[in-house]
Amino acid sequence: MEMDGIRSAERPARVGRRGRRPWRLAVATVLASTLLFTAACTGDGDKASWEGGGSPESGTNSQSAAPDPTLSTVAVTSPAADAKSVELWSEVKFTSEDAQNTEVTVTNAKGDEVKGTVDKDANLWRPAEGLAWNTKYTVNVSTPAADGKTNTATSSFTTMKEPSKLVRVSSFLADGQKVGVGMPLIMKFGRAVPEKYRGEVERRMVVTATPAQEGTWRWISATEVHYRPKVYWKANSKVFYAVNLKGVKLGDGWYGRSNLTVDLNIGREMIMTVSNKTKKMTVKQDGKVIKTIPVSLGKSSTPSSSGTMVVMEKAAHTVFDTTDEDPVNGYKTPIDWAQRITYSGQFIHAAPWSEGVQGRRNVSHGCVNVSEALGEWLFNRTLMGDVITVSGTEEKLKNGNGWTNWNMSWEEYKKGSYLN
């Protein structure tokens, strides 16, 4: 504890009269400084002799020796000493009379320090990721004292054994992929996550974009959660997400199986806009129109959906087979340059049979028909996650019929998070 600084005595005023000797003034100044120093350094019970203190026998000034500095008391309060079956995300709680100067380290059985953060306002240490199953950890809490000594508390605990009830967690996307600016991040769970645990799950799934971009998770169902930024991803940005769910409670005695990380690249911005009124698709790349394509949309009995969708998958050559759903009126047709945009089976694809009416009339079963040549041109330029907006048709896109993350406002989208 630092002692307040003692003000120096003010410089004495010059003597105006001749003949007064300056050494008298110097002696007075030294005496005043001595008295100030004595008063500042004596305790309440040790008065200076000129205040009536001192030894009753000798009558001299007798100051008590300064007591040893009091060490700050520290202790580990949780987990309890030698606790067993501690959960992997358990916080370490401690007490300290000087929390701001308290250091906390946690080491594993090999003596390696575990990464974590200390909240000195709450007296907590939190692990950066889930600890290992069935492993002994040692906590060391220390606080320095004024005289260079250190007060230390040490405690150990052992984490729980790996349970049999583990939930698989998977990412739809993988490391190194390049995707469009509308691509949502998609996480899936092997078992339904009860609502009371979803907020904690979100906290363990951290998204970092470079440059920084605001975004949020939204639960699509009890087994699927998506993430999107407030506006489309910035072109050519980087996205990294760490999903630390190993050992996280997922309800009814189930725990997350593992952690995972994904590193993505966002490509150039490509936006496709389709108007039923003009029967044309406008293709913009990085804000500039690069192509206008005649289209044929769904006829009135099988209309295309109006709304904002993204490219979900691509196939240069495939077969559309609806005979299982409709044995009487179903069809089986080879298709080129197919790009899925809904779960219900709406695609952008080449349709050479409708080239004569593309740009003038709707004849499809709900898909966006383009010519063979322009279908190939478009297919070779799009990425999964590129955005397509269709307007002016008889049917509105239903949320959930595909990756419809952009078919709602930001305010509506945020309502699907358990942290907002």
Side-chain angles (χ1 to χ4, degrees), residues 1-4 69 145-147:
M1 177 176 177
E2 295 181 355
M3 182 179 295
D4 292 338
D147 62 353

Side-chain angles (χ1 to χ4, degrees), residues 274 295-299 302-305 320 331 335 338-342 344-351 353-354 362-370 388 390 393:
V274 178
V295 301
S296 179
L297 300 176
K299 56 185 181 289
T302 55
S304 301
S305 295
F320 286 1
Y331 57 89
I335 298 292
Q339 304 186 61
R340 180 186 286 274
I341 56 176
T342 71
S344 62
Q346 295 180 37
F347 288 75
I348 308 166
H349 67 83
W353 55 87
S354 70
N362 293 335
V363 297
S364 84
H365 290 85
C367 293
V368 179
N369 285 181
V370 297
I388 174 171
V390 177
T393 66

Side-chain angles (χ1 to χ4, degrees), residues 261-340:
T261 61
V262 179
D263 235 325
L264 291 176
N265 298 305
I266 306 299
R268 76 290 168 273
E269 181 186 71
M270 180 173 281
I271 307 292
M272 296 165 280
T273 305
V274 178
S275 168
N276 186 37
K277 183 177 180 180
T278 64
K279 306 293 189 293
K280 288 182 172 58
M281 173 193 288
T282 302
V283 183
K284 285 185 177 182
Q285 182 169 319
D286 295 325
K288 296 180 180 180
V289 176
I290 59 172
K291 186 74 74 174
T292 300
I293 300 174
V295 301
S296 179
L297 300 176
K299 56 185 181 289
S300 58
S301 60
T302 55
S304 301
S305 295
S306 286
T308 300
M309 298 152 274
V310 298
V311 175
M312 301 169 64
E313 63 175 321
K314 299 174 64 176
H317 309 289
T318 188
V319 174
F320 286 1
D321 186 352
T322 64
T323 56
D324 287 342
E325 300 172 7
D326 188 350
V328 177
N329 299 310
Y331 57 89
K332 185 183 291 186
T333 306
I335 298 292
D336 294 334
W337 319 121
Q339 304 186 61
R340 180 186 286 274

Side-chain angles (χ1 to χ4, degrees), residues 95-244:
T95 59
S96 174
E97 295 171 2
D98 186 11
Q100 295 306 312
N101 292 310
T102 297
E103 300 295 329
V104 181
T105 58
V106 178
T107 54
N108 60 21
K110 297 179 180 179
D112 299 326
E113 185 172 347
V114 178
K115 292 181 180 180
T117 57
V118 180
D119 184 339
K120 294 188 177 182
D121 292 325
N123 286 13
L124 292 175
W125 176 90
R126 296 183 176 95
E129 59 184 41
L131 303 176
W133 304 111
N134 195 29
T135 300
K136 184 177 180 179
Y137 291 90
T138 300
V139 182
N140 184 278
V141 181
S142 62
T143 302
D147 62 353
K149 295 180 180 179
T150 302
N151 195 20
T152 302
T154 301
S155 183
S156 296
F157 65 88
T158 302
T159 54
M160 63 188 294
K161 295 180 180 179
E162 184 173 338
S164 59
K165 299 168 73 172
L166 292 172
V167 179
R168 184 172 181 269
V169 184
S170 60
S171 168
F172 179 82
L173 298 170
D175 272 339
Q177 280 187 265
K178 179 178 282 190
V179 295
V181 296
M183 184 69 212
L185 311 182
I186 302 172
M187 296 300 304
K188 295 186 177 182
F189 301 84
R191 181 182 181 277
V193 179
E195 289 191 37
K196 66 178 292 186
Y197 297 96
R198 294 179 190 175
E200 186 62 22
V201 167
E202 288 184 53
R203 269 187 284 270
R204 304 298 180 191
M205 301 191 299
V206 181
V207 179
T208 304
T210 306
Q213 296 160 67
E214 182 182 359
T216 188
W217 293 99
R218 177 184 176 88
W219 289 81
I220 307 304
S221 70
T223 59
E224 186 169 338
V225 61
H226 290 194
Y227 183 100
R228 59 157 267 200
K230 184 175 182 179
V231 294
Y232 298 140
W233 296 109
K234 294 181 181 179
N236 305 310
S237 57
K238 306 287 186 182
V239 177
F240 172 81
Y241 53 108
V243 179
N244 296 316

Side-chain angles (χ1 to χ4, degrees), residues 400-413:
N401 184 16
W403 299 339
T404 55
N405 304 72
W406 300 102
N407 198 49
M408 60 188 81
S409 69
W410 172 243
E411 293 304 318
E412 182 182 358
Y413 192 82

